[in-house]
Amino acid sequence: IRLNQIGFYPDQRKIAVILNHEDIEDFLIWDTDKKDIAFEGKLEKQIKKTRSGHISRIADFSQFRKAGNYVLILDGVGKSYPFEIESHINQNLGMASIKAFYYQRASVELDKAYAGIWARSMGHPDDQVMIHPSAASETRKAEEMVSSPYGWYDAGDYNKYVVNSGITVGTLLSLFEDYPDYFQNLDLNIPESGNQIPDLLDEIRWNLDWMISMQDPGDGGVYHKLSTAKFEGMVEPHLAISQRYMIAKSTTATLDFAAVMAQASRIYKSYYPEESVSYLKAAEKAWGWAKANPNVLYNQNEMNKAFDPDIQTGAYGDFSANDERIWAASELFITTHNLIYWDELADADQSFKLPSWNQVSWLGFYSLLRHQDKITLLPLEWMAVLKINLLTAARSQIEAVAEQPFQSPIETNVKNFIWGSNAVAANQGILLLYAYKQNGERAFLEGAYDNLDYILGRNATGYSYVTGFGTKSPQHPHHRLAVSRPDLPPLPGFIVGGPNPGQQDGCNYSSSFADESYTDESCSYASNEIAINWNAPFAYLVNSLEAVNK
Ligand code: G3I
Ligand code: 9MR
């Protein structure tokens, strides 16, 4: 019995998917507090097949709306994992999805008061980062030491990558910009809590303070990453002490940086006015570098032919900086209203592309749509094209949901099952929420719920893919902070990458079908790693659903 292992809002569609039972007709919802039958229903007659050939049927109990704690029972088969119906069902999950970033903080000790049993020593002060020869410039010579502390660890590894930080911070800043009221008093119990500034903004600032130091003060170009030469072992952060390097500037990193700093500048204006000014200066300087260097793409293999030491960590290499340029120009235009940025957008490709670390044009377009009423300079017809592209893309994602065995948008195209597929589900949810905001069409909101249900257990493996949430959740994520502390449960609030038929890690998978290519083993970096760019859209999805339901 596959269903969302956390639960449902009273008025949302509520279904469970029953696998491998053609014969059964009736199901019931059992109230585990009152110890009584709460609802009786019939399974839908229609039979679907999963990718691996299992028969699937739907138990729909949407009509049942009463708050409480339940299990679904199938005669002769058994009962589901427990779930709840509640008007703030995703609140704790939403907070945990943001608190996860606190656990990823570099260059600081985590105190028991905030981290509980996951308290730990400081790791990676990053005050002696060596300029890799690929990053040498007039202002900074190879092998010189620079300081670049703070920031979040990227993922299961301890490195800090500007490209991936870019989409992460952009997504979280947009979450704040879309629902500012929701975050005014949301207390995440982080060291900055209680300082009159929304906790979400303080958590993001931890990473902005690092990103700012990734800019070469001389020419404004931004280093692609701060990393060791090879991945560290699976050890605690304070024991991972190999030399870290500033590595190569890139156009993608520099434009992502410009976008994030421009967006941060307007959002932090009333909270941290001095930083707001320096963020905008940094963004404009980065834009200038990218103008002069429009196509410096990071290619790790080529770089390793020219410079020592070889760098083998995450590449975040990309074939094109056009989408990064669109994103940066959009955010700079919104913040400054300067028409030089509009010039970059007038002829831009407006077709819809689901955001991912190497495809960010729609981070900019979402922002333009968010600000459309405040920017009178925007041509109406051009904006109309954006709107129609948004709605068309959202509609195409929910078009075939009814035919899917687990009834979610991610299943409608097998190509969605890539490395980090769970973030595809989350990013589809974001698109659907923007579409819902545009025209209030309920089907878009339901589509976003469907992908959250998928993430939380209504899927082919039966896992709730978020650590610490749901009955069957990942116990062995590829996460150095977790693997190095086998005495503790995994740190909570992290979404794992999810099914990925590429299976690039060579671990043992029990299935090769796309939606079943997941293994809860710490060796599995291709299906069971955690990453900030996956947690950010997940946090967006969960928290915005809470905000919309407030
Ligand atoms: O671009 C091609 C596309 O044309 C093709 O259709 C598709 C078919 O699979 O592959 C696409 O390339 C994939 C690429 O991501 C872009 O999506 C590669 O196969 C895939 O191997 C690659 O995976 C990336 C992985 O690093 C390996 O480079 C993930 O997106 C990325 O999230 C992941 O990031 C790592 C960092 O390097 C290191 N830190 C941890 C982090 C998370 O695992
Ligand atoms: O831990 C690394 C993870 O963050 C990356 O996503 C992954 C792919 O680049 O690589 C992991 O590191 C492994 C390395 O690639 C191969 N040797 C084993 C490392 C740890 O499992």
Side-chain angles (χ1 to χ4, degrees), residues 225-402:
K225 60 176 172 174
L226 187 169
S227 165
T228 48
K230 297 188 179 102
F231 284 111
E232 296 268 16
M234 304 304 276
V235 298
E236 290 174 77
H238 65 282
L239 302 175
I241 51 170
S242 303
Q243 180 63 51
R244 293 174 42 110
Y245 299 90
M246 291 291 198
I247 297 157
K249 288 168 194 158
S250 73
T251 310
T252 51
T254 303
L255 288 169
D256 285 346
F257 173 100
V260 158
M261 291 300 163
Q263 187 178 15
S265 174
R266 64 176 182 264
I267 293 175
Y268 286 79
K269 197 168 182 179
S270 58
Y271 299 107
Y272 291 112
E274 276 175 38
E275 280 73 12
S276 164
V277 172
S278 49
Y279 291 159
L280 185 56
K281 277 197 189 131
E284 287 171 329
K285 200 161 178 187
W287 177 265
W289 187 89
K291 265 301 218 197
N293 301 274
N295 218 16
V296 181
L297 297 174
Y298 185 75
N299 183 331
Q300 195 151 279
N301 291 335
E302 288 303 312
M303 182 185 79
N304 283 339
K305 288 181 193 156
F307 302 108
D308 284 323
D310 271 17
I311 303 296
Q312 288 161 15
T313 53
Y316 291 115
D318 197 349
F319 306 114
S320 155
N322 290 338
D323 52 303
E324 286 80 5
R325 192 166 294 111
I326 291 174
W327 182 27
S330 302
E331 301 297 351
L332 278 158
F333 181 54
I334 295 165
T335 301
T336 64
H337 293 200
N338 186 333
L339 286 167
I340 63 162
Y341 301 116
W342 166 251
D343 288 343
E344 306 278 337
L345 295 171
D347 299 321
D349 174 6
Q350 290 176 286
S351 64
F352 183 80
K353 307 262 170 49
L354 195 74
S356 68
W357 61 261
N358 54 5
Q359 182 48 256
V360 291
S361 58
W362 272 78
L363 296 185
F365 292 152
Y366 289 156
S367 284
L368 287 168
L369 286 165
R370 181 182 317 122
H371 288 88
Q372 58 189 330
D373 299 334
K374 284 177 241 152
I375 312 178
T376 44
L377 297 165
L378 283 171
L380 293 176
E381 201 182 312
W382 191 90
M383 286 304 290
V385 173
L386 274 193
K387 272 186 227 176
I388 199 76
N389 289 355
L390 175 92
L391 291 174
T392 307
R395 214 174 292 291
S396 86
Q397 287 190 357
I398 55 174
E399 219 163 48
V401 166

Side-chain angles (χ1 to χ4, degrees), residues 27 41 55 63 86 104 168 194 268 277 290 314 344 411 423 476 492 538:
F27 74 92
I55 279 169
Q63 286 172 29
E86 216 265 306
Q104 291 292 100
T168 302
Y268 286 79
V277 172
E344 306 278 337
E411 295 166 272
H476 309 287
F538 175 62

Side-chain angles (χ1 to χ4, degrees), residues 153-159 161 164 225 231 312-317 319 356-358 415 417-420 478 480 497 500-502 504 524-534:
Y153 298 131
D154 181 60
D157 63 321
Y158 292 134
N159 300 304
Y161 309 86
N164 209 42
K225 60 176 172 174
F231 284 111
Q312 288 161 15
T313 53
Y316 291 115
F319 306 114
S356 68
W357 61 261
N358 54 5
K415 288 192 186 141
F417 293 98
I418 54 168
W419 189 316
H478 185 87
R480 279 166 178 72
N500 167 20
Q504 292 91 333
S524 183
Y525 50 78
S527 83
N528 207 28
E529 189 164 356
I530 62 96
I532 56 173
N533 65 312
W534 305 335

